[in-house]
Amino acid sequence: SAVPRIQTVAGPVSPVEVSAEILKVLAARAEKTLGGPLTGVVITVPAYFDDAQRQATKDAAKLAGLNVFRLLNEPTAAAVAYGLDREAEGVHAIYDLGGGTFDISILRLNKGVFEVLATGGDSALGGDDFDRAIAEWVLQQAGIGSEASPELLRGLMDRARAAKEALSDQPSVTLEVDLPGGGRWSGTLDRDTLHELIDPLIRKTIGACRRTLRDAGVSPEEIKDVVMVGGSTRSPRVREKVAEFFGTEPLVDIDPDKVVAIGAALQADVLAGNKPEDEMLLLDVIPLSLGIETMGGLVEKIIPRNTTIPVARAQEFTTFKDGQTAMAIHVVQGERELVADNRSLARFELRGIPPMVAGAARIRVTFSVDADGLLHVEAEELSTGVKASVEVKPSYGLTDEEIAGMLKASIEHAGEDMAARALAEQKVEAARVIEALQAALAADGDELLNAEERRKVEEALESLRRTAETAQDADTIKSAIENLEKTCEFYVERRMNTSIRKAMAGHKIDEFE
């Protein structure tokens, strides 16, 4: 199996089995507190979770014997907690800074409808980085270098965390460290120094906020409220900088460690039927674009990233070759223009396409993503109704870092990706033109062309073939196609006239009026 196994005293177990054990304990705790069995559960997941991670979460819940009402994005759950308590409407930001990750979500709340406009963040930034910055400052001040032992560093991280928390209420704090060679260092860390250490990290979160606002198509001034989630948002400096950027004081009156759980509980209460009068629709978004491979190794995006789910989108495609009776569907996920740079999710084949000339068949490919972010892809040939489909349950394993990396790569390589796409598209067009002309020459070349004319057409054809194989830019291939089309103008005209003459043979002109 491709799924990694963790060695335990009870034998090897998969991450899904570990998650199931955790969920069993939580369910038992809930049943004891509530005094009865659970009808169902709402499980919150990070906004960055992809199809595989969401499916793994549902599998773990099933293994634990739980009925999953809904998988809910953590920021959406936080919005539920504040949205219901305050009957809030408008555009809101959910700023979630935990120990190791940062997530920012922009949501629109309107009459009980929660729509996630965009999500973003940094999967390698959190309160632990604040502690590390303080610990490194202490090492520098104490003159401790590479000789620091793992035990010393671990203890120092604990003291750094305590100092950070203490500085929320007092202007300075004393730190003491046992030196590796004996002796003891003692120093004072004040609030201004703490700000110097953590401000660059807070600026990174603000940068992610700015990018996500751009994705959502809103400005900071349009944000009505900022909901603070995660223990690291208790830092007064974080709250100060967030207020400065958004121009509004953040909401902090619900415990930032509990706000997600409170929102999930409120949503579960509705879905369990305890509050049927409350119609609360939660609309999340997909984290990465979904599409299929087309000729030339290109990606045709069917559902762009940050599209609200549940969603279904369809697009029509056609055959590339005459008489083609099957089509391979390759489902991919990512932001890049070429298939090779994205993540492969699934492959399946549509068979039973009636033989037709290239481009005549109509194949509709439908992507549907359910409320839990799971994907179903169906291909249908419209004239016959023949269908094929796939449920996308990819192998577990796209990490938050990989998703963030894919988004970053799509921005960094945007220019070269567009150039690569244009080149691939022209190569596909050249192959289409070459195949069509070869078929025409085989059908009536000897009849309509003399030897010299045929030689010119075949020379231009060969020139295009060589150019398509060797050219490194789209414009060169485009020029070669145009040159071939110009060379063949007289031949195309003769073919058209011949077709018209054959169609009119035995008929009078007035029959066509």
Side-chain angles (χ1 to χ4, degrees):
S1 170
V3 178
R5 299 271 162 179
I6 301 159
Q7 294 299 327
T8 72
V9 290
V13 293
S14 70
V16 172
E17 290 170 309
V18 174
S19 298
E21 290 302 317
I22 295 168
L23 290 172
K24 280 179 190 174
V25 172
L26 292 174
R29 208 178 282 174
E31 287 175 348
K32 185 179 177 183
T33 305
L34 298 170
L38 301 178
T39 309
V41 298
V42 169
I43 301 176
T44 61
V45 294
Y48 273 128
F49 260 28
D50 71 340
D51 293 332
Q53 291 161 312
R54 288 170 194 271
Q55 185 60 45
T57 304
K58 289 191 84 173
D59 289 349
K62 189 176 179 182
L63 202 57
L66 298 174
N67 170 33
V68 180
F69 285 145
R70 172 73 67 87
L71 295 187
L72 192 57
N73 275 355
E74 288 166 3
T76 311
V80 170
Y82 275 102
L84 293 181
D85 287 357
R86 295 165 173 267
E87 298 179 356
E89 294 192 355
V91 182
H92 297 250
I94 315 299
Y95 181 101
D96 183 353
L97 186 63
T101 61
F102 170 65
D103 289 307
I104 175 70
S105 298
I106 309 302
L107 296 87
R108 179 181 288 122
L109 281 70
N110 182 33
K111 296 176 183 175
V113 177
F114 290 66
E115 181 185 0
V116 183
L117 300 179
T119 62
D122 189 328
S123 55
L125 176 64
D128 293 347
D129 297 289
F130 291 11
D131 302 340
R132 198 170 291 111
I134 297 167
E136 286 171 359
W137 176 83
V138 172
L139 288 172
Q140 190 180 19
Q141 296 298 310
I144 303 171
S146 56
E147 69 273 20
S149 67
E151 292 77 14
L152 171 65
L153 294 174
R154 195 159 49 245
L156 194 53
M157 285 289 283
D158 290 339
R159 282 193 283 277
R161 187 178 303 111
K164 175 187 70 177
E165 291 168 3
L167 286 170
S168 295
D169 303 312
Q170 54 198 64
S172 65
V173 66
T174 301
L175 285 160
E176 294 186 344
V177 181
D178 291 325
L179 298 172
R184 195 170 181 78
W185 174 87
S186 180
T188 301
L189 174 65
D190 60 28
R191 200 174 281 170
D192 288 341
T193 306
L194 173 69
H195 293 172
E196 285 176 25
L197 295 172
I198 67 173
D199 276 0
L201 298 167
I202 299 173
R203 274 197 298 275
K204 279 188 179 180
T205 71
I206 298 301
C209 292
R210 192 173 283 113
R211 288 190 295 275
T212 308
L213 284 170
R214 195 162 56 237
D215 273 355
V218 297
S219 64
E221 295 74 35
E222 292 175 75
I223 300 297
K224 185 175 179 182
D225 283 312
V226 183
V227 176
M228 299 298 260
V229 180
S232 297
T233 62
R234 286 193 174 90
S235 163
R237 187 63 166 181
V238 170
R239 294 178 179 183
E240 180 189 327
K241 290 296 182 183
V242 168
E244 194 178 290
F245 174 71
F246 285 103
T248 182
E249 284 299 318
L251 301 177
V252 295
D253 48 340
I254 297 178
D255 183 336
D257 284 322
K258 294 179 181 174
V259 64
V260 169
I262 289 168
L266 289 167
Q267 175 68 356
D269 202 30
V270 173
L271 293 172
N274 296 332
K275 292 186 177 179
E277 73 280 2
D278 288 6
E279 292 184 10
M280 179 167 58
L281 176 63
L282 295 177
L283 303 172
D284 285 346
V285 298
I286 56 169
L288 293 169
S289 300
L290 299 166
I292 69 167
E293 178 177 357
T294 58
M295 287 300 295
L298 298 174
V299 176
E300 184 68 30
K301 292 186 178 76
I302 308 289
I303 304 179
R305 71 178 282 257
N306 278 332
T307 297
T308 304
I309 58 172
V311 65
R313 295 269 173 91
Q315 199 159 318
E316 284 190 17
F317 296 89
T318 189
T319 49
F320 184 73
K321 291 182 179 288
D322 291 344
Q324 187 175 331
T325 59
M327 179 182 279
I329 310 289
H330 182 196
V331 183
V332 294
Q333 181 182 41
E335 305 309 310
R336 304 287 295 277
E337 297 295 330
L338 303 182
V339 168
D341 298 322
N342 289 289
R343 186 192 190 204
S344 173
L345 289 184
R347 295 174 189 267
F348 67 102
E349 277 197 356
L350 175 66
R351 295 185 175 277
I353 300 170
M356 304 183 204
V357 296
R362 290 173 59 213
I363 292 114
R364 183 167 61 207
V365 178
T366 305
F367 276 51
S368 50
V369 182
D370 67 16
D372 294 324
L374 301 176
L375 172 66
H376 176 86
V377 182
E378 180 180 272
E380 178 184 4
E381 201 289 306
L382 296 179
S383 68
T384 61
V386 64
K387 293 179 182 178
S389 65
V390 66
E391 282 283 350
V392 178
K393 295 180 182 177
S395 59
Y396 308 134
L398 197 60
T399 64
D400 293 357
E401 287 85 351
E402 284 170 328
I403 292 176
M406 288 168 82
L407 295 177
K408 188 180 176 188
S410 72
I411 296 165
E412 289 174 351
H413 298 283
E416 63 194 72
D417 277 4
M418 291 310 293
R421 184 183 184 92
L423 176 61
E425 283 176 340
Q426 286 303 320
K427 285 189 174 185
V428 170
E429 178 62 12
R432 188 193 63 77
V433 170
I434 289 167
E435 192 161 318
L437 184 52
Q438 284 175 329
L441 287 170
D444 55 25
D446 292 338
E447 179 189 338
L448 299 178
L449 300 172
N450 62 36
E452 178 60 21
E453 288 169 339
R454 180 154 188 152
R455 186 186 62 77
K456 281 184 181 176
V457 169
E458 287 180 341
E459 277 181 3
L461 184 66
E462 186 55 34
S463 173
L464 174 58
R465 186 185 283 111
R466 282 196 307 271
T467 303
E469 286 173 358
T470 60
Q472 294 303 307
D473 68 286
D475 290 341
T476 303
I477 300 175
K478 189 178 179 184
S479 297
I481 293 171
E482 289 170 354
N483 182 54
L484 177 62
E485 288 172 344
K486 193 171 183 181
T487 303
C488 295
E489 274 176 357
F490 72 94
Y491 177 36
V492 173
E493 190 176 330
R494 284 180 199 172
R495 295 195 85 218
M496 196 177 294
N497 290 340
T498 302
S499 297
I500 292 170
R501 274 199 301 274
K502 284 179 180 175
M504 292 182 65
H507 298 277
K508 294 178 181 176
I509 291 287
D510 54 13
E511 290 179 43
F512 295 92
E513 289 178 353

